[in-house]
Amino acid sequence: MLKIGVIGCGAIGKEHIRRLTHLIPDAEVVACSDYFIETAEETAQLYGIKTVYKTGEELISAPEVEAIVITSVDATHAPYVLAAVR
């Protein structure tokens, strides 16, 4: 089972989470984060995601996360990708 974290819980993030949880049997979304913490909390409740992080950086550093999907606003993509690579 691949444990995935999703950064960005807007419409695109929710669609990725839906696909991961319903269409890929060996994937589990274990964490999410969003600039608006309320949005992340609502998404976690909707999809049964165990952990919500206040920032993408916290999610990237989380020991339970093995892979990351970044669906946040465009300006944050490069910094999150670089942080994840490190």
Side-chain angles (χ1 to χ4, degrees):
M1 183 73 63
L2 182 62
K3 298 177 182 177
I4 301 169
V6 177
I7 300 173
C9 296
I12 293 171
K14 285 183 177 89
E15 180 58 18
H16 281 299
I17 292 168
R18 184 193 68 76
R19 290 178 186 185
L20 288 165
T21 56
H22 291 93
L23 301 176
I24 303 175
D26 291 331
E28 178 185 8
V29 179
V30 297
C32 65
S33 69
D34 193 274
Y35 178 80
F36 298 103
I37 189 68
E38 298 84 10
T39 301
E41 290 169 344
E42 291 168 6
T43 301
Q45 184 174 6
L46 180 65
Y47 290 100
I49 299 169
K50 297 174 187 172
T51 307
V52 173
Y53 289 98
K54 291 182 182 179
T55 69
E57 292 84 4
E58 289 176 327
L59 185 144
I60 290 167
S61 298
E64 74 273 16
V65 174
E66 299 172 330
I68 299 168
V69 174
I70 301 168
T71 64
S72 56
V73 296
D74 291 346
T76 62
H77 284 195
Y80 286 145
V81 168
L82 292 173
V85 169
R86 282 186 223 117

